[in-house]
Amino acid sequence: MWRTGRVLAGLAIALFLLLAPPALATGETPPSGTPVVVLAQDPGQPPAPPAPPPAYDKQRLAIGATGVVLIALVLLSRKARKKPVLFVTWKKK
């Protein structure tokens, strides 16, 4: 049982690291001695809200597929150990 738990945990961690979203900002800051220039904006129109990046749809699909695979692995491992799967006992005919 511990072996199955470790394998599932390792698989979950590996999939999380492989499917993690890329960094959205570069995180670069100007050097401390560089003056920062701020431009004045025309107060006439407010800025438009940014459109959501299309990568979220693929990321949600990947997370959902990973969840389905993990649930299937748990259910199949319970069936292989002849334990009840979702409170249903499998009987051979």
Side-chain angles (χ1 to χ4, degrees), residues 18-63:
L18 288 175
L19 301 175
L24 298 177
T26 59
E28 294 180 16
T29 57
S32 61
T34 306
V36 177
V37 178
V38 178
L39 299 176
Q41 295 181 350
D42 183 20
Q45 291 193 357
Y56 288 135
D57 292 335
K58 290 182 181 179
Q59 182 181 7
R60 289 181 67 193
L61 179 66
I63 290 171

Side-chain angles (χ1 to χ4, degrees), residues 6-20 66 70:
R6 286 182 182 177
V7 169
L8 290 176
L11 180 64
I13 291 171
L15 287 175
F16 176 74
L17 292 175
L18 288 175
L19 301 175
T66 304
L70 288 175

